[in-house]
Amino acid sequence: MALKGNGTVWVWGENNYGKLGDGSTTNRTTPVQIDGLSDAAAATTGYRYSVVLKENGTLWAWGTNGNGQPGDGTTGARTAPVRVNNITNVAAIAAGFDFTVALRTDGTVWAMGANGEGQRGDGAINTRGTPAQVPGLGYVAGIATGYNHTIALKIDGTVWTWGDNAYGQLGDETMSCAG
């Protein structure tokens, strides 16, 4: 996936589960533009799904949907962009393997999708098909994700991590999961 300077989104490659978002499951050997995303501000991909942040602070997603990745509260693959429910005023996005994290302009962090390793940060292990706020963080300035873990940079300069820690990726000198 590529985000051009004019806000258009272009995709190509394998298209299982509609992960390209062009309304089909046809593999593409040359880039095609995604309809309806002429005002994208950021784009990210997870495993077989994609998420775009529009300039107006809304999220749009498509692709596989076994763990609620598109965030529209449904199951079943999405071959074209759908609006992510229950979240507005998004400033940044990050996608892990099969979960998405969003940072709102008010400094709150929201997550959706899988949570088997605690990567959403809400203490649950179930999947979530719509975004929910990560509790207890206060104001966050930046976010990032790994395969099954999340990183948040708070406004005070401290770094907070949660999720899979099998290889010490949380940086807390342990090697276990922390949800």
Side-chain angles (χ1 to χ4, degrees):
M1 179 168 49
L3 172 60
K4 290 181 72 173
N6 64 1
T8 59
V9 178
W10 295 75
V11 295
W12 60 94
E14 181 186 50
N15 200 11
N16 293 348
Y17 306 97
K19 67 182 175 185
L20 294 183
D22 66 351
S24 78
T25 56
T26 303
N27 296 338
R28 304 290 181 179
T29 58
T30 58
V32 295
Q33 183 177 346
I34 301 298
D35 291 333
L37 295 177
S38 60
D39 57 350
T44 187
T45 59
Y47 180 66
R48 296 183 174 165
Y49 78 100
S50 299
V51 181
V52 166
L53 167 60
K54 286 182 133 185
E55 290 175 3
N56 67 3
T58 61
L59 295 181
W60 296 76
W62 61 88
T64 191
N65 193 14
N67 292 303
Q69 295 93 318
D72 66 346
T74 68
T75 58
R78 296 298 197 168
T79 60
V82 294
R83 179 149 180 210
V84 175
N85 294 329
N86 304 329
I87 191 166
T88 57
N89 301 317
V90 176
I93 53 175
F97 180 73
D98 54 3
F99 71 105
T100 304
V101 179
L103 174 62
R104 290 187 51 190
T105 55
D106 65 2
T108 59
V109 176
W110 294 66
M112 61 189 172
N115 201 35
E117 304 293 333
Q119 62 267 39
R120 277 198 335 255
D122 61 6
I125 298 181
N126 64 321
T127 60
R128 180 178 298 280
T130 57
Q133 186 174 349
V134 178
L137 287 176
Y139 195 93
V140 172
I143 55 171
T145 57
Y147 182 75
N148 275 330
H149 70 284
T150 303
I151 304 163
L153 171 64
K154 291 182 62 170
I155 195 74
D156 64 6
T158 59
V159 175
W160 293 66
T161 60
W162 57 90
D164 184 21
N165 195 32
Y167 300 100
Q169 57 268 50
L170 298 185
D172 64 358
E173 298 181 0
T174 67
M175 292 177 64
S176 63
C177 291

